[in-house]
Amino acid sequence: MSVLADRFGRVATDLRVSLTDRCNLRCTYCMPEEGLAWMPREQQLTDDEVGRLIRIAVEQLGVTGVRFTGGEPLIRRGLIGIIAAAAALQPRPKLSITTNGIGLDRLAGPLRDAGLDRVNVSLDTLSPARFLKLTHRDRHADVLKGLAGAARAGLTPVKINTVLMRGVNDDEAPELLRFALDHGYQLRFIEQMPLDAQHQWDRHEMVTAEAILASLEPYGLLPDSVSRGTAPAETWLVPGHVDAAGHPARVGVIGSVTRPFCGDCDRTRLTADGQVRNCLFATEESDLRGLLRSGRSDADIAKAWQTAMWGKRAGHGIDDPSFLQPARPMSAIGG
Ligand code: SAM
Protein backbone atom coordinates (compact mmCIF):
# COMPACT_ATOMS: atom_id res chain seq x y z
CA MET A 1 0.00 0.00 0.00
CA SER A 2 1.17 3.58 -0.66
CA VAL A 3 1.28 6.08 2.19
CA LEU A 4 0.84 9.82 2.65
CA ALA A 5 4.44 10.73 3.41
CA ASP A 6 6.18 14.10 3.41
CA ARG A 7 9.77 15.24 2.87
CA PHE A 8 10.43 15.28 6.61
CA GLY A 9 9.64 11.61 7.18
CA ARG A 10 6.16 12.08 8.62
CA VAL A 11 3.36 9.80 7.48
CA ALA A 12 -0.26 10.91 7.70
CA THR A 13 -2.63 8.23 8.98
CA ASP A 14 -5.22 10.47 10.65
CA LEU A 15 -7.76 12.04 8.28
CA ARG A 16 -9.87 15.04 9.32
CA VAL A 17 -12.93 15.37 7.13
CA SER A 18 -14.95 18.56 7.24
CA LEU A 19 -18.55 17.76 6.31
CA THR A 20 -19.85 21.33 6.13
CA ASP A 21 -18.69 24.88 6.74
CA ARG A 22 -22.05 25.72 8.34
CA CYS A 23 -22.59 25.86 12.07
CA ASN A 24 -25.46 26.48 14.46
CA LEU A 25 -23.19 28.44 16.84
CA ARG A 26 -21.07 31.54 16.24
CA CYS A 27 -18.11 31.11 18.60
CA THR A 28 -16.32 34.46 18.61
CA TYR A 29 -12.85 32.93 18.08
CA CYS A 30 -14.04 31.05 15.00
CA MET A 31 -16.84 32.87 13.17
CA PRO A 32 -18.27 36.39 12.99
CA GLU A 33 -21.78 36.88 14.42
CA GLU A 34 -23.09 37.60 10.93
CA GLY A 35 -21.87 38.00 7.40
CA LEU A 36 -19.80 34.90 6.68
CA ALA A 37 -20.73 33.59 3.22
CA TRP A 38 -21.43 29.85 3.10
CA MET A 39 -19.81 27.56 0.59
CA PRO A 40 -22.15 27.21 -2.43
CA ARG A 41 -24.00 23.87 -2.18
CA GLU A 42 -22.78 22.64 -5.54
CA GLN A 43 -19.19 22.99 -4.39
CA GLN A 44 -19.78 20.78 -1.37
CA LEU A 45 -18.91 17.13 -1.87
CA THR A 46 -21.88 14.78 -2.05
CA ASP A 47 -22.14 11.92 0.44
CA ASP A 48 -20.92 9.51 -2.25
CA GLU A 49 -17.95 11.73 -3.08
CA VAL A 50 -16.97 11.97 0.59
CA GLY A 51 -17.33 8.20 0.87
CA ARG A 52 -15.15 7.61 -2.15
CA LEU A 53 -12.35 9.84 -0.88
CA ILE A 54 -12.42 8.18 2.54
CA ARG A 55 -12.29 4.78 0.84
CA ILE A 56 -9.25 5.80 -1.22
CA ALA A 57 -7.56 7.18 1.90
CA VAL A 58 -8.17 3.98 3.90
CA GLU A 59 -7.73 1.33 1.23
CA GLN A 60 -4.92 2.88 -0.78
CA LEU A 61 -3.15 5.44 1.39
CA GLY A 62 -2.84 3.87 4.83
CA VAL A 63 -5.27 6.11 6.74
CA THR A 64 -6.29 4.37 9.97
CA GLY A 65 -8.44 7.00 11.68
CA VAL A 66 -11.11 9.37 10.39
CA ARG A 67 -12.46 12.29 12.40
CA PHE A 68 -15.52 14.13 11.11
CA THR A 69 -15.69 17.82 11.81
CA GLY A 70 -16.84 21.11 10.31
CA GLY A 71 -18.51 23.64 10.69
CA GLU A 72 -20.89 21.50 12.68
CA PRO A 73 -20.87 17.88 11.42
CA LEU A 74 -24.12 16.94 13.19
CA ILE A 75 -26.05 19.24 10.83
CA ARG A 76 -24.86 17.32 7.76
CA ARG A 77 -27.93 15.40 6.56
CA GLY A 78 -26.12 12.32 5.31
CA LEU A 79 -23.91 11.96 8.39
CA ILE A 80 -25.17 8.56 9.56
CA GLY A 81 -24.77 7.07 6.06
CA ILE A 82 -21.28 8.56 5.67
CA ILE A 83 -20.22 7.02 8.97
CA ALA A 84 -21.78 3.66 8.14
CA ALA A 85 -19.93 3.60 4.80
CA ALA A 86 -16.62 4.41 6.51
CA ALA A 87 -17.23 1.74 9.15
CA ALA A 88 -17.71 -0.88 6.42
CA LEU A 89 -14.21 -0.29 5.00
CA GLN A 90 -11.40 -2.80 5.41
CA PRO A 91 -9.24 -2.32 7.36
CA ARG A 92 -11.89 -0.62 9.45
CA PRO A 93 -10.71 2.86 10.46
CA LYS A 94 -11.29 4.31 13.93
CA LEU A 95 -14.13 6.79 13.60
CA SER A 96 -14.65 9.88 15.71
CA ILE A 97 -16.38 13.22 15.53
CA THR A 98 -15.75 16.73 16.86
CA THR A 99 -19.01 18.49 17.56
CA ASN A 100 -20.57 21.27 19.56
CA GLY A 101 -22.91 18.62 20.98
CA ILE A 102 -26.21 20.22 19.93
CA GLY A 103 -28.53 17.36 18.98
CA LEU A 104 -26.11 14.72 20.18
CA ASP A 105 -28.53 13.52 22.86
CA ARG A 106 -30.76 12.28 20.01
CA LEU A 107 -28.04 11.30 17.57
CA ALA A 108 -25.49 9.57 19.81
CA GLY A 109 -27.26 6.16 19.70
CA PRO A 110 -27.77 6.10 15.91
CA LEU A 111 -24.20 7.31 15.38
CA ARG A 112 -22.89 4.57 17.63
CA ASP A 113 -24.98 2.01 15.76
CA ALA A 114 -23.60 3.29 12.44
CA GLY A 115 -20.06 2.67 13.68
CA LEU A 116 -18.88 5.85 15.39
CA ASP A 117 -16.33 5.07 18.11
CA ARG A 118 -15.74 8.33 19.93
CA VAL A 119 -16.73 11.92 20.29
CA ASN A 120 -15.14 15.23 21.29
CA VAL A 121 -17.59 17.89 22.40
CA SER A 122 -16.61 21.55 22.54
CA LEU A 123 -17.58 23.38 25.72
CA ASP A 124 -15.90 26.62 26.77
CA THR A 125 -17.94 27.60 29.81
CA LEU A 126 -20.23 26.26 32.50
CA SER A 127 -22.21 29.48 32.55
CA PRO A 128 -25.26 29.69 30.24
CA ALA A 129 -24.94 33.50 30.17
CA ARG A 130 -21.30 33.34 29.10
CA PHE A 131 -22.13 30.64 26.57
CA LEU A 132 -24.68 32.97 24.99
CA LYS A 133 -22.13 35.79 24.84
CA LEU A 134 -19.45 33.54 23.42
CA THR A 135 -21.49 31.65 20.85
CA HIS A 136 -24.33 34.12 20.19
CA ARG A 137 -26.81 31.27 20.70
CA ASP A 138 -28.75 30.22 23.82
CA ARG A 139 -27.92 26.50 23.56
CA HIS A 140 -25.84 25.73 26.66
CA ALA A 141 -28.33 23.21 28.04
CA ASP A 142 -28.36 21.39 24.69
CA VAL A 143 -24.59 20.92 24.82
CA LEU A 144 -24.78 19.46 28.33
CA LYS A 145 -27.54 17.11 27.17
CA GLY A 146 -25.39 16.12 24.20
CA LEU A 147 -22.47 15.26 26.45
CA ALA A 148 -24.68 13.08 28.65
CA GLY A 149 -26.19 11.41 25.57
CA ALA A 150 -22.74 10.56 24.21
CA ALA A 151 -21.72 8.94 27.49
CA ARG A 152 -25.00 7.00 27.67
CA ALA A 153 -24.49 5.70 24.14
CA GLY A 154 -20.98 4.51 25.01
CA LEU A 155 -19.08 6.92 22.75
CA THR A 156 -16.29 6.87 25.30
CA PRO A 157 -14.04 8.31 26.47
CA VAL A 158 -16.13 11.44 25.94
CA LYS A 159 -13.65 14.28 25.54
CA ILE A 160 -14.35 17.97 26.04
CA ASN A 161 -12.47 20.61 24.03
CA THR A 162 -12.14 24.00 25.71
CA VAL A 163 -10.65 27.20 24.36
CA LEU A 164 -9.87 29.74 27.08
CA MET A 165 -9.85 33.45 26.33
CA ARG A 166 -8.49 36.19 28.51
CA GLY A 167 -11.18 38.09 30.37
CA VAL A 168 -13.87 35.85 28.90
CA ASN A 169 -13.59 32.40 30.50
CA ASP A 170 -9.97 32.03 31.65
CA ASP A 171 -11.13 31.99 35.28
CA GLU A 172 -13.07 28.77 34.65
CA ALA A 173 -10.29 26.21 34.14
CA PRO A 174 -10.52 24.65 37.64
CA GLU A 175 -14.35 24.49 37.54
CA LEU A 176 -14.36 23.00 34.07
CA LEU A 177 -11.95 20.31 35.23
CA ARG A 178 -14.13 19.63 38.28
CA PHE A 179 -17.16 19.28 35.99
CA ALA A 180 -15.30 16.87 33.68
CA LEU A 181 -14.02 14.78 36.59
CA ASP A 182 -17.47 14.59 38.18
CA HIS A 183 -19.00 13.33 34.93
CA GLY A 184 -16.19 11.04 33.78
CA TYR A 185 -15.37 13.22 30.74
CA GLN A 186 -11.80 13.90 29.67
CA LEU A 187 -11.05 17.62 29.41
CA ARG A 188 -8.53 19.10 26.97
CA PHE A 189 -7.70 22.78 26.80
CA ILE A 190 -6.76 24.10 23.35
CA GLU A 191 -4.67 27.24 22.93
CA GLN A 192 -6.49 29.74 20.78
CA MET A 193 -5.02 29.76 17.27
CA PRO A 194 -5.00 32.42 14.53
CA LEU A 195 -7.89 30.89 12.63
CA ASP A 196 -10.74 33.29 13.35
CA ALA A 197 -12.73 34.69 10.45
CA GLN A 198 -12.25 38.21 11.77
CA HIS A 199 -8.41 37.95 11.88
CA GLN A 200 -8.40 39.44 15.37
CA TRP A 201 -6.20 36.86 17.10
CA ASP A 202 -3.48 38.45 19.20
CA ARG A 203 -0.64 36.34 20.51
CA HIS A 204 -0.20 38.56 23.55
CA GLU A 205 -3.85 38.10 24.48
CA MET A 206 -4.05 34.33 24.14
CA VAL A 207 -4.11 32.09 27.22
CA THR A 208 -0.97 29.96 27.05
CA ALA A 209 -0.53 26.31 28.03
CA GLU A 210 1.68 27.54 30.87
CA ALA A 211 -1.04 29.83 32.21
CA ILE A 212 -3.62 27.04 31.93
CA LEU A 213 -1.42 24.66 33.90
CA ALA A 214 -0.74 27.33 36.52
CA SER A 215 -4.47 27.79 37.07
CA LEU A 216 -4.82 24.02 37.63
CA GLU A 217 -2.12 23.96 40.32
CA PRO A 218 -4.59 23.23 43.15
CA TYR A 219 -5.16 19.80 41.57
CA GLY A 220 -1.49 18.83 42.03
CA LEU A 221 -1.29 17.43 38.49
CA LEU A 222 1.37 14.80 37.86
CA PRO A 223 3.26 14.10 34.64
CA ASP A 224 1.67 11.32 32.61
CA SER A 225 3.98 8.38 31.95
CA VAL A 226 1.95 7.27 28.93
CA SER A 227 3.69 8.50 25.79
CA ARG A 228 1.84 11.18 23.85
CA GLY A 229 2.80 9.64 20.50
CA THR A 230 1.24 11.66 17.70
CA ALA A 231 -1.62 12.98 19.87
CA PRO A 232 -1.79 16.78 20.00
CA ALA A 233 -2.59 16.90 23.72
CA GLU A 234 0.05 16.69 26.43
CA THR A 235 -1.68 14.96 29.33
CA TRP A 236 -1.37 15.10 33.10
CA LEU A 237 -2.75 12.76 35.75
CA VAL A 238 -5.22 14.18 38.25
CA PRO A 239 -4.35 12.53 41.57
CA GLY A 240 -7.25 11.01 43.47
CA HIS A 241 -9.56 10.76 40.47
CA VAL A 242 -10.49 8.01 38.03
CA ASP A 243 -12.29 8.24 34.70
CA ALA A 244 -15.53 6.49 33.70
CA ALA A 245 -13.58 3.31 32.85
CA GLY A 246 -11.79 3.30 36.23
CA HIS A 247 -8.44 4.47 34.77
CA PRO A 248 -6.52 7.34 36.38
CA ALA A 249 -8.18 10.61 35.36
CA ARG A 250 -6.27 12.82 32.95
CA VAL A 251 -6.43 16.38 31.72
CA GLY A 252 -4.89 17.49 28.44
CA VAL A 253 -3.46 20.71 27.07
CA ILE A 254 -3.04 21.27 23.35
CA GLY A 255 -0.38 23.94 23.13
CA SER A 256 -0.57 24.38 19.38
CA VAL A 257 0.97 27.86 19.53
CA THR A 258 3.47 27.80 22.41
CA ARG A 259 4.29 24.07 22.38
CA PRO A 260 3.89 23.05 18.75
CA PHE A 261 3.94 19.36 17.90
CA CYS A 262 4.38 19.65 14.12
CA GLY A 263 7.30 17.20 14.12
CA ASP A 264 4.91 14.42 15.15
CA CYS A 265 1.96 15.51 13.02
CA ASP A 266 0.17 12.59 11.38
CA ARG A 267 -2.79 14.54 9.99
CA THR A 268 -4.20 15.10 6.53
CA ARG A 269 -7.29 17.24 6.03
CA LEU A 270 -10.14 17.29 3.59
CA THR A 271 -12.42 20.33 3.37
CA ALA A 272 -16.15 20.04 2.70
CA ASP A 273 -15.51 21.19 -0.88
CA GLY A 274 -12.97 18.47 -1.55
CA GLN A 275 -9.65 20.28 -1.06
CA VAL A 276 -6.75 18.53 0.62
CA ARG A 277 -4.89 20.61 3.18
CA ASN A 278 -1.61 19.23 4.44
CA CYS A 279 -1.72 21.49 7.52
CA LEU A 280 -4.31 23.49 9.46
CA PHE A 281 -2.22 26.55 8.61
CA ALA A 282 -1.52 25.73 4.98
CA THR A 283 -2.09 28.62 2.60
CA GLU A 284 -2.42 26.30 -0.38
CA GLU A 285 -4.86 23.48 -1.06
CA SER A 286 -5.05 20.68 -3.63
CA ASP A 287 -8.28 20.13 -5.49
CA LEU A 288 -9.60 16.57 -5.34
CA ARG A 289 -13.18 17.58 -6.16
CA GLY A 290 -12.13 18.57 -9.68
CA LEU A 291 -10.51 15.16 -10.16
CA LEU A 292 -13.58 13.36 -8.79
CA ARG A 293 -15.92 15.28 -11.07
CA SER A 294 -13.81 14.89 -14.18
CA GLY A 295 -13.97 11.13 -13.98
CA ARG A 296 -10.41 10.43 -12.85
CA SER A 297 -9.48 7.05 -11.42
CA ASP A 298 -8.90 6.18 -7.77
CA ALA A 299 -5.21 5.80 -8.59
CA ASP A 300 -5.05 9.36 -10.03
CA ILE A 301 -6.78 10.76 -6.95
CA ALA A 302 -4.49 8.83 -4.59
CA LYS A 303 -1.46 10.17 -6.48
CA ALA A 304 -2.70 13.78 -6.24
CA TRP A 305 -3.30 13.32 -2.49
CA GLN A 306 0.24 12.00 -2.04
CA THR A 307 1.69 14.93 -3.97
CA ALA A 308 -0.27 17.35 -1.78
CA MET A 309 1.11 15.77 1.40
CA TRP A 310 4.69 15.63 0.11
CA GLY A 311 4.74 19.44 0.12
CA LYS A 312 3.82 19.74 3.83
CA ARG A 313 6.02 22.27 5.60
CA ALA A 314 8.14 21.32 8.62
CA GLY A 315 6.06 23.49 10.95
CA HIS A 316 3.06 25.79 11.07
CA GLY A 317 5.32 28.84 11.30
CA ILE A 318 3.08 30.94 13.57
CA ASP A 319 6.23 32.40 15.14
CA ASP A 320 7.79 33.20 11.79
CA PRO A 321 7.68 36.90 10.81
CA SER A 322 6.43 35.81 7.38
CA PHE A 323 3.48 33.87 8.86
CA LEU A 324 0.24 34.39 6.99
CA GLN A 325 -3.08 33.37 8.50
CA PRO A 326 -4.93 31.02 6.14
CA ALA A 327 -7.63 32.70 4.06
CA ARG A 328 -10.26 30.25 5.30
CA PRO A 329 -11.39 30.41 8.93
CA MET A 330 -11.42 27.30 11.12
CA SER A 331 -15.12 26.73 10.39
CA ALA A 332 -14.36 26.27 6.68
CA ILE A 333 -11.18 24.25 7.17
CA GLY A 334 -12.47 21.84 9.79
CA GLY A 335 -10.98 21.87 13.28
N1 SAM B 1 -18.54 22.58 15.41
C1 SAM B 1 -17.68 21.57 15.96
C2 SAM B 1 -17.24 21.92 17.35
O1 SAM B 1 -17.68 22.93 17.88
O2 SAM B 1 -16.47 21.16 17.94
C3 SAM B 1 -16.50 21.19 15.10
C4 SAM B 1 -15.75 22.28 14.43
S1 SAM B 1 -14.86 23.34 15.51
C5 SAM B 1 -14.04 24.36 14.33
C6 SAM B 1 -13.62 22.24 16.10
C7 SAM B 1 -12.82 22.71 17.29
O3 SAM B 1 -12.03 23.81 16.91
C8 SAM B 1 -13.66 23.18 18.47
O4 SAM B 1 -13.24 22.51 19.64
C9 SAM B 1 -13.34 24.65 18.58
O5 SAM B 1 -13.35 25.10 19.90
C10 SAM B 1 -11.96 24.71 17.98
N2 SAM B 1 -11.60 26.01 17.46
C11 SAM B 1 -12.27 26.79 16.60
N3 SAM B 1 -11.60 27.93 16.36
C12 SAM B 1 -10.45 27.84 17.08
C13 SAM B 1 -9.33 28.71 17.25
N4 SAM B 1 -9.24 29.88 16.64
N5 SAM B 1 -8.33 28.28 18.05
C14 SAM B 1 -8.40 27.09 18.69
N6 SAM B 1 -9.44 26.24 18.56
C15 SAM B 1 -10.45 26.62 17.78
Side-chain angles (χ1 to χ4, degrees):
M1 186 193 287
S2 308
V3 292
L4 291 170
D6 67 40
R7 286 170 295 159
F8 302 97
R10 296 168 296 191
V11 174
T13 54
D14 180 3
L15 169 61
R16 304 284 158 118
V17 180
S18 173
L19 291 177
T20 176
D21 62 332
R22 296 171 193 233
C23 191
N24 39 11
L25 296 181
R26 293 289 177 280
C27 302
T28 50
Y29 52 81
C30 188
M31 295 171 93
E33 187 176 358
E34 285 172 36
L36 188 66
W38 301 128
M39 185 181 285
R41 284 280 184 206
E42 65 279 7
Q43 285 180 18
Q44 188 174 289
L45 297 182
T46 64
D47 295 355
D48 286 347
E49 287 171 335
V50 174
R52 181 172 171 205
L53 290 180
I54 295 174
R55 177 177 56 71
I56 292 170
V58 170
E59 291 182 350
Q60 302 195 16
L61 294 169
V63 161
T64 56
V66 183
R67 173 172 293 277
F68 297 97
T69 180
E72 176 45 48
L74 294 189
I75 63 178
R76 170 95 185 206
R77 259 197 219 128
L79 176 65
I80 303 263
I82 290 171
I83 287 181
L89 293 172
Q90 287 301 327
R92 185 198 187 286
K94 286 257 173 263
L95 299 174
S96 55
I97 197 164
T98 301
T99 169
N100 61 31
I102 296 171
L104 191 57
D105 55 328
R106 254 182 324 102
L107 280 169
L111 286 168
R112 173 87 220 183
D113 293 345
L116 190 71
D117 297 304
R118 276 208 326 93
V119 65
N120 285 16
V121 176
S122 305
L123 176 68
D124 298 326
T125 177
L126 295 173
S127 150
R130 277 189 180 176
F131 185 92
L132 174 59
K133 210 167 155 199
L134 224 147
T135 67
H136 300 290
R137 300 289 185 272
D138 193 7
R139 308 296 299 268
H140 189 256
D142 295 318
V143 178
L144 299 190
K145 272 198 263 172
L147 276 164
R152 244 190 344 264
L155 293 170
T156 49
V158 174
K159 294 190 182 176
I160 297 180
N161 288 351
T162 298
V163 177
L164 294 179
M165 284 148 289
R166 191 165 297 175
V168 177
N169 61 346
D170 59 336
D171 56 342
E172 280 196 65
E175 279 170 68
L176 280 157
L177 180 52
R178 164 65 49 198
F179 169 81
L181 293 169
D182 287 349
H183 291 82
Y185 307 142
Q186 200 181 113
L187 179 63
R188 297 134 32 100
F189 293 98
I190 309 176
E191 281 183 345
Q192 189 183 352
M193 296 177 276
L195 288 168
D196 55 316
Q198 306 89 312
H199 289 229
Q200 281 169 358
W201 180 84
D202 177 351
R203 186 180 179 122
H204 304 292
E205 282 299 310
M206 61 166 279
V207 181
T208 62
E210 195 183 352
I212 295 165
L213 289 167
S215 67
L216 297 178
E217 237 166 53
Y219 284 93
L221 302 183
L222 296 172
D224 192 349
S225 57
V226 174
S227 155
R228 166 192 192 172
T230 56
E234 285 178 78
T235 51
W236 280 264
L237 300 173
V238 192
H241 296 272
V242 289
D243 67 15
H247 302 128
R250 292 180 160 82
V251 60
V253 178
I254 303 182
S256 319
V257 179
T258 64
R259 303 182 185 204
F261 36 88
C262 304
D264 293 320
C265 181
D266 66 348
R267 250 141 262 144
T268 181
R269 294 172 183 277
L270 192 60
T271 63
D273 54 352
Q275 310 298 305
V276 169
R277 297 180 64 89
N278 57 25
C279 172
L280 204 45
F281 294 96
T283 49
E284 286 174 10
E285 302 178 338
S286 303
D287 180 27
L288 297 190
R289 186 188 70 227
L291 300 182
L292 281 171
R293 294 188 180 173
S294 60
R296 303 286 284 274
S297 67
D298 286 0
D300 287 348
I301 291 169
K303 184 87 203 124
W305 204 326
Q306 284 182 297
T307 304
M309 292 309 294
W310 188 253
K312 183 175 173 120
R313 287 179 302 166
H316 57 44
I318 293 176
D319 281 332
D320 196 297
S322 64
F323 174 75
L324 276 183
Q325 182 170 337
R328 295 204 205 216
M330 184 73 129
S331 57
I333 295 172

